[in-house]
Amino acid sequence: MRTAAVVGASLAGLSTARALRQQGFDGRLVIVGDEPHRPYDRPPLSKEFLAGKSSDIGLRTPDDEALDFDWRLGTRALSLHPRDRSLQLSNGQTLRCDGVVIATGARARWLPGTEGVNGVHVLRTLDDAIRLRSELVPGAQLVVVGAGFIGAEVASTARYLGADVTVIETESVPLARQLGSEMGLVCAGLHADHGVRLITDVPVKRILGASRVRCVELADGRQIPADVVVVGIGATPNFEWLAGSGLQLADGVVTDAACATGLPEVVAVGDVAASYSVYLHDRHRAEHWTNALEQPLTAAATLLGEPRPHLSAPYFWSDQYGVRIQFAGRRREGDTVRVIEGNTDQRSFLAVYERGDLLVGVLGMNQPKLFSRWRRQLARPVLAP
Amino acid sequence: MIEVCRVAELPPGEAVRVATVDPPIAVFHTEGGELYAVDDTCTHQDASLADGWLEGCTVECPLHASCFDLRTGQPSGPPATKPIRTYPVIVEDGVIRVAYSEVAC
Ligand SMILES: Cc1cc2nc3c(=O)[nH]c(=O)nc-3n(C[C@H](O)[C@H](O)[C@H](O)COP(=O)(O)OP(=O)(O)OC[C@H]3O[C@@H](n4cnc5c(N)ncnc54)[C@H](O)[C@@H]3O)c2cc1C
Ligand code: FES
């Protein structure tokens, strides 16, 4: 392999480029990214950055200079042609390469018909966060659509900034799919603790307003006044550009446990990859930061001809209302959950998820030390097929 | 010098966070019996290293798993890129004391 191209200049792409160098690749390494910005970290966009507490979110370090990357920022990859091993770029160039890393991540989903309405936002990019921040002024009436992790974090940060916040959720219990209803309710309780209204069990029908959003209408007819709306209803993988490439596309770019796709010398990593997980015995598209940092080590090894599966259990964290939530493993319907330390009312506890005698998940609220210890017991694949 | 606690109160494998100074420090007692004092707050984001996983002379951050060498303060790999500050530790009459200063050493 003489030239490797990384498509997507965010956490997974940059981490794979670094890993390729660390694992000995000394050929040409081109990084193509459609955003105009240098790579930056997304988790702070709903937390410290949105709160105005920290603007230090760049991912590049002085050490990267020595790695000799050929940056193509503000440039989108339009298509991948496996036959002559080339990428078509939005600047008109054709980039010939022997190896390709697909790291194009995901984009936020909009409520149909609300894109472009003033005051309605999604939160995925730095530009999104800057736009939203300018509108989260004290006293603003914010409606957050979706009580998932991003929605909950935005609600928490907006409350800190002095906004009046209402969260709307279609399901009866937020986060029930990931954490189960019992723990979902505990997380939902954080909103009430901080004077944020949570309305569950009802979908949003439409957003009303002429030049600017005025209110959010629910399916039951209720109208919630709004100056600002944030839509936090999940993300869609950025893989349309790969149509016709011969790659298998399902919920994401399909790969094996070593990040290899069906095409030789093409790997996929991070939020865009639907990878087979040895840990879960299942194909899984993880939308979590740690996965986008860890999968690259595997993907680089695969590209360099030494495939080894990525083994770790899924892990994510979230910060809401000053509470740190950490979860590792995976919960399935029928698993039981047990609080083994602390107290859910105090918002400080550790809970374990069990399937029979197997430990399959660990959830901590403000218990980082205990969580670190318990998470280690998940560090090997424990789930039977 | 700041007084931390008696050695007997900090068993090997444990850490203690000292919040009387700003920024707070963490004192570790390794399984090997050594004592180290470092800045408690991870240089990456906001996590307390005293809550981390201690193995040999390294501590793994409880939030994003960067590992720091307690002897030098250097991170072994991303996401942290900057070292944590280290401070000399002295044991006198069974009491752990840290030579804390605002400037790095
Ligand atoms: C607001 C927010 C908060 C988050 N908080 C947490 C958290 O607390 N904990 C946690 O575990 N995870 C969190 N996450 C998730 C985490 O940030 C993602 O899992 C991670 O960013 C995935 O990295 P990635 O590189 O795979 O994809 P992305 O970060 O999505 O990067 C993909 C990049 O590729 C670019 N791109 C797309 N198509 C093309 C193309 N055709 N050509 C060139 N470039 C292209 C995109 O513009 C983007 O820059 C959060 C995410 C967001 C948005
Ligand atoms: S806060 Fe320590 S590694 Fe991120």
Side-chain angles (χ1 to χ4, degrees):
Chain A
M1 195 169 66
R2 291 177 51 193
T3 300
V6 175
V7 187
S10 182
L11 181 62
L14 177 59
S15 301
T16 313
R18 285 176 181 154
L20 279 167
R21 285 290 189 240
Q22 270 144 20
Q23 294 176 25
F25 175 64
D26 60 5
R28 183 164 164 243
L29 217 167
V30 187
I31 306 182
V32 182
D34 64 355
E35 291 185 71
H37 311 288
R38 291 161 160 242
Y40 59 86
D41 210 15
R42 289 180 209 279
L45 299 182
S46 50
K47 311 177 182 78
E48 302 87 345
F49 183 85
L50 190 63
K53 288 186 207 161
S54 159
S55 53
D56 179 20
I57 60 168
L59 285 173
R60 280 168 73 178
T61 73
D63 291 348
D64 289 337
E65 297 309 318
L67 303 181
D68 196 19
F69 299 145
D70 181 351
W71 293 96
R72 307 289 165 84
L73 296 178
T75 309
R76 173 182 286 268
L78 301 177
S79 54
L80 165 67
H81 306 277
R83 196 165 308 163
D84 64 347
R85 281 298 160 81
S86 68
L87 290 169
Q88 197 60 49
L89 304 185
S90 60
N91 62 7
Q93 286 174 351
T94 303
L95 185 67
R96 283 194 204 288
C97 45
D98 313 302
V100 180
V101 177
I102 298 167
T104 44
R107 61 178 180 278
R109 272 210 297 269
W110 282 89
L111 275 176
T114 58
E115 211 163 336
V117 178
N118 276 328
V120 182
H121 301 259
V122 291
L123 181 54
R124 180 82 199 179
T125 66
L126 175 58
D127 294 336
D128 291 339
I130 292 170
R131 273 191 294 267
L132 175 59
R133 193 163 69 174
S134 70
E135 297 197 347
L136 288 182
V137 293
Q141 286 191 304
L142 169 69
V143 174
V144 178
V145 181
F149 288 109
I150 303 262
E153 290 179 2
V154 169
S156 149
T157 304
R159 193 73 194 121
Y160 165 85
L161 293 172
D164 174 75
V165 185
T166 306
V167 180
I168 316 285
E169 168 63 45
T170 311
E171 303 290 323
S172 48
V173 178
L175 303 171
R177 197 170 40 82
Q178 296 95 324
L179 305 179
S181 328
E182 212 175 316
M183 293 300 140
L185 278 175
V186 176
C187 290
L190 293 171
H191 295 297
D193 292 355
H194 294 85
V196 166
R197 284 178 300 278
L198 173 65
I199 302 178
T200 57
D201 264 324
V202 59
V204 165
K205 185 169 169 206
R206 57 186 171 160
I207 286 175
L208 301 173
S211 61
R212 197 182 159 88
V213 58
R214 187 166 44 77
C215 81
V216 173
E217 188 178 87
L218 308 183
D220 60 13
R222 263 182 291 176
Q223 296 196 338
I224 317 291
D227 308 316
V228 189
V229 172
V230 175
V231 179
I233 56 170
T236 312
N238 291 316
F239 62 11
E240 292 80 358
W241 66 283
L242 294 163
S245 64
L247 287 169
Q248 192 189 341
L249 307 174
D251 167 43
V253 178
V254 174
T255 83
D256 67 11
C259 301
T261 66
L263 295 174
E265 259 92 65
V266 177
V267 294
V269 284
D271 280 18
V272 76
S275 302
Y276 185 79
S277 159
V278 177
Y279 187 85
L280 301 170
H281 292 289
D282 200 359
R283 203 171 62 203
H284 176 65
R285 194 168 67 77
E287 289 187 4
H288 304 314
W289 189 92
T290 301
N291 177 65
L293 186 73
E294 289 179 354
Q295 265 195 337
L297 301 177
T298 298
T302 299
L303 265 188
L304 298 174
E306 284 174 42
R308 50 175 194 233
H310 174 241
L311 297 175
S312 8
Y315 162 64
F316 63 81
W317 82 96
S318 175
D319 293 318
Q320 302 168 23
Y321 305 104
V323 173
R324 176 153 291 163
I325 301 169
Q326 293 174 288
F327 181 83
R330 178 149 77 168
R331 188 203 76 96
R332 273 198 228 146
E333 223 40 67
D335 294 347
T336 54
V337 60
R338 197 155 58 89
V339 173
I340 57 164
E341 188 74 45
N343 181 322
T344 53
D345 293 341
Q346 305 283 309
R347 314 301 188 213
S348 169
F349 66 91
L350 190 88
V352 294
Y353 292 78
E354 289 158 325
R355 192 170 305 155
D357 323 325
L358 284 181
L359 177 72
V360 294
V362 182
L363 172 70
M365 245 193 207
N366 273 347
Q367 284 289 355
K369 188 164 192 158
L370 264 185
F371 180 83
S372 294
R373 275 147 189 70
W374 277 87
R375 179 184 172 191
R376 251 150 241 278
Q377 308 201 29
L378 289 167
R380 67 212 132 83
V382 288
L383 307 190
Chain B
M1 281 286 176
I2 49 172
E3 207 171 293
V4 179
C5 62
R6 303 194 64 80
V7 184
E9 290 165 339
L10 186 66
E14 289 297 320
V16 60
R17 181 168 187 266
V18 182
T20 50
V21 286
D22 186 33
I25 58 173
V27 180
F28 293 87
H29 193 175
T30 69
E31 295 287 354
E34 285 118 89
L35 290 164
Y36 295 102
V38 298
D39 274 340
D40 181 53
T41 309
C42 181
T43 56
H44 176 233
Q45 274 165 26
D46 188 16
S48 159
L49 293 174
D51 285 338
W53 179 259
L54 179 63
E55 200 156 299
C57 291
T58 50
V59 61
E60 185 189 281
C61 174
L63 194 52
H64 308 126
S66 264
C67 291
F68 294 89
D69 188 323
L70 295 173
R71 295 164 298 191
T72 60
Q74 289 296 331
S76 64
T81 54
K82 294 173 221 114
I84 41 171
R85 293 187 295 179
T86 61
Y87 305 95
V89 184
I90 298 157
V91 178
E92 265 171 3
D93 305 327
V95 174
I96 303 171
R97 292 196 172 85
V98 173
Y100 178 79
S101 73
E102 301 279 306
V103 265
C105 51

